[in-house]
Structures are given as structure tokens and as C-alpha cells.
Amino acid sequence: MDASDRLRPVLRSFEPYDPAFSPCRVNLSANENTHELPAEVRSAIGAAFRATPLNRYPDPMANALRDALAARHGVSRERICVGNGGDELLFNLLFAFGGPERTLVTCPPDFAEYANFAAMCETPVTGVWRDAEDFSIDGDALVAAARDAALVILTSPNNPTGDLVDRALVERLLAETDALVLVDEAYVEFAPEGSSVVDLVATNPRLMVLRTLSKAFGLAGLRVGYLVANPAVVDALGAVRQIYSVDVVAQAVALAAVETRSALAPVISDIVSERERLIAGLANLAGVRTWPSATNFVLARVPRAAEVRRRLRDEHSVLVRDFSSAPGLEGCLRLSVGTRDENDALLDALATILREEA
Ligand SMILES: *Cc1c(COP(=O)(O)O)cnc(C)c1O
């Protein structure tokens, strides 16, 4: 018997997500925070872990964590929904609000999971493609597409292009369309102060903001993300989610991290200054083009990108993400910003390879 014949037709083209990770000396492929967490955060996390009984089921509502996140954003608990990473919330959003005849509008090139989850939930997707040169969004085209849509997802700052979405465009979408609007702010901690639109949630029942502990907080392995949204959205997602998807360890550790988050500020500012140093270093390499970034990664167009990426991995044990065959990202690699030593290793290896490839 071949079980694949019996799969729901819409799921037949999907394959297990296997990024084929090769252990590398320097891994700058997944936008993780590679800095060591500050001692204060590490000790709070350790204490939280030790105090957590594993024989008990989690609080399915994760209320202690929701309260800490609500306090962070100055909203009430009813506006916070936690998930097993931002990914679970994205899936549940499509599961709850998508489906046949409910179009999702996105602005590719963007995060590939949106289209994957939409396909799984049989949700048609309209892509309003970004400008091929500077990745800017055509606001008029976006608003026009969103008029017929159930849901719009904007990524700010965007993965993998690194740029922010204008606050005015978010406001315009809310004013001129009837769509639910999700702003995915997975990287917003690396953007200039005032870049978030989370404050608009209080007055816009159709706006949702996604955050994660996987990037700036340095907890990608923990799998915790959350949504700030209208209580009706939070309830809808609460009703469809796997009730224990955020486990006791994840809740306790995330709570400790959120409570000690001010200690993270020096790590974040180091990553931001390393990002600018990386961009400056890349500008010295012949044939390399970069774009400005408000994130912890840099998109770079390099000659013979796929080969350069392979040689970085095989000859220098440096792993980066290859987007060179993705539509709209021809020749592009995505370089996560690491520690100073990691970024130097990347720059040195790239300089060597590009000299040899020239
Ligand atoms: C990393 C990322 C997320 C969420 O990741 P999780 O680890 O599932 O929390 C969401 N959106 C974008 C654009 C991302 O890059």
C-alpha cells in the first residue's frame, strides 16, 4: 500500500521540511540569535526550569505568560494568544480564517510559510509582488488586491528582504478595505524605535501583530510566539489550537525571558551594529550588492551564489541560506548576523571565494 495515494489531494505535493542541516563551525542560516544570553537571563531561565514540575499538564491558556506579555505591550491578557512558535499561530490563522473562497494577500518575496500554510488550508493566495530592484510595495496595488481578500499578511521587517512596511500603508489597508490584517513583526526588535504597529491593535479590531521569542530573545529552540490582537481573534484561535501546544517548560522559560528582557538590550544593539559592519564589509567585495536591513540578517546578491554558498559550507564550514533560485531573489544569499567573530569568519571566507571565482 502507498499511503500517499490516500492523502487529501491538496496535501500531496508537500514533503517533510528537512533543511539538511550540516553541522558547521559558523551557522548563519536561520536568523537565530547566536550571542550568548546575558547571565541575568540565563539564571532566570535556569531557575524557572528547575521550578517547573513536568508531571503536570500545562495551563492551556498560558495565563502567567500572557500576563507578562500583556504588561510588555500595555494591553490586557484578552489580547494575547501564545503559540508553539509564530509558525503555529500562522497556521491556525489560515485554518481559522482562510479556506476556499477566502483569499490571502501577501507581498512576496516574503516568508515561505505563508503560502505553504495557505495551500494546506486550501486558501487561494494573491501575491502583490515587490519591486524587483528595491523590494518596495506598490500600495495602490496592495489595497486593490486586499479589497477582495479575507486576510492580508505583511512582514515588517520582511524576511528575507529586510525592509519595514510603512505604518501609513497598514493604516490605509485598515481604512480602505475590510480584510483582516496580520503584521508579522518577528524581527521588529532589531528595527529602529517606533517601527512597530502594535499600538494600533487597540483601536483596530481587524489588526493582528505577530511576535516571536525565536529571534531577538534567542530562544528559537523553545518554540514560543504570540499574537497581539482583538479579543475575538484571540478567542477564535484559542478555540482551534492544540490545547497543550505550549508546554510547561516553554511557558516557564518564556516567562522568565520576558521578565528579564531589559538585560537583552546590549545583545540587540550589538547585533544591530554588527549588521551595519557586515553591510560595510560586503560593500568592499567586488560584485556584491546588499539592501538596507532592519533585521538580524542581510540579503546579498553575489555572483554564482549557489556555488558560493556550497563553498562557504564545504571549504569554510560557514552556513548561510541560499535564495538564489527563489522567484524575485535571483543570485541572493541571506546572511544572518552573528557575533563579531562569526561575521569576520563569513567576510573572510566570502572574500577568499569571490577572489577565486572571479
Ligand atoms: C522566524 C519567523 C517567524 C516565526 O518563527 P517561530 O520560530 O515559529 O516563532 C515568523 N515570521 C517570520 C517572517 C520569521 O522569519
Side-chain angles (χ1 to χ4, degrees), residues 31 84-88 90 111 114 155 157 159 184 186-187 210-215 220 223-225:
N31 298 343
N84 186 271
D87 286 2
E88 184 197 16
L90 289 168
F111 192 43
Y114 308 145
T155 323
N159 176 10
D184 182 342
Y187 298 95
L210 184 69
R211 295 290 190 94
T212 179
L213 302 201
S214 296
K215 309 286 162 52
R223 312 304 307 131
V224 176

Side-chain angles (χ1 to χ4, degrees), residues 118-327:
M120 289 179 190
C121 297
E122 300 182 71
T123 306
V125 181
T126 300
V128 178
W129 284 78
R130 289 159 179 268
D131 183 82
E133 276 297 307
D134 66 8
F135 299 123
S136 60
I137 295 171
D138 179 339
D140 293 336
L142 176 62
V143 169
R147 287 221 170 85
D148 301 317
L151 181 62
V152 179
I153 301 182
L154 294 173
T155 323
S156 184
N158 188 39
N159 176 10
T161 61
D163 52 328
L164 287 157
V165 173
D166 281 344
R167 181 184 179 90
L169 181 55
V170 176
E171 291 179 306
R172 201 181 147 200
L173 268 176
L174 291 165
E176 296 179 27
T177 82
D178 204 33
L180 288 169
V181 177
L182 174 75
V183 180
D184 182 342
E185 294 188 340
Y187 298 95
V188 81
E189 290 90 349
F190 302 108
E193 277 281 317
S195 297
S196 174
V197 295
V198 73
D199 58 292
L200 297 178
V201 170
T203 47
N204 288 279
R206 284 182 286 111
L207 178 63
M208 306 168 278
V209 172
L210 184 69
R211 295 290 190 94
T212 179
L213 302 201
S214 296
K215 309 286 162 52
F217 278 85
L219 297 171
L222 193 69
R223 312 304 307 131
V224 176
Y226 63 97
L227 205 65
V228 186
N230 186 268
V233 172
V234 173
D235 281 350
L237 292 183
V240 302
R241 64 187 285 268
Q242 300 288 311
I243 51 180
Y244 297 128
S245 67
V246 185
D247 65 68
V248 284
V249 174
Q251 289 189 29
V253 169
L255 176 59
V258 171
E259 284 176 338
T260 54
R261 68 186 175 281
S262 59
L264 272 176
V267 171
I268 293 170
S269 52
D270 187 62
I271 292 170
V272 167
S273 63
E274 279 297 302
R275 174 185 77 210
E276 298 310 314
R277 200 176 67 85
L278 182 60
I279 289 174
L282 292 164
N284 291 329
L285 303 179
V288 175
R289 168 167 187 196
T290 60
W291 285 265
S293 171
T295 66
N296 67 337
F297 57 83
V298 176
L299 189 71
R301 180 166 281 153
V302 307
R304 298 172 46 81
E307 177 65 5
V308 168
R309 185 259 183 190
R310 188 196 62 73
R311 292 188 59 187
L312 279 171
R313 183 192 64 197
D314 297 346
E315 296 169 20
H316 299 270
S317 200
V318 174
L319 200 61
V320 300
R321 179 72 188 270
D322 181 12
F323 280 98
S324 61
S325 52

Side-chain angles (χ1 to χ4, degrees), residues 68-112:
L69 293 168
R72 178 188 188 198
H73 294 293
V75 300
S76 67
R77 171 199 284 183
E78 288 69 32
R79 291 186 180 276
I80 306 282
C81 181
V82 300
N84 186 271
D87 286 2
E88 184 197 16
L89 294 161
L90 289 168
F91 181 88
N92 288 349
L93 203 71
L94 270 305
F95 185 55
F97 296 106
E101 288 156 45
R102 296 166 174 218
T103 301
L104 165 67
V105 173
T106 60
C107 295
D110 58 7
F111 192 43

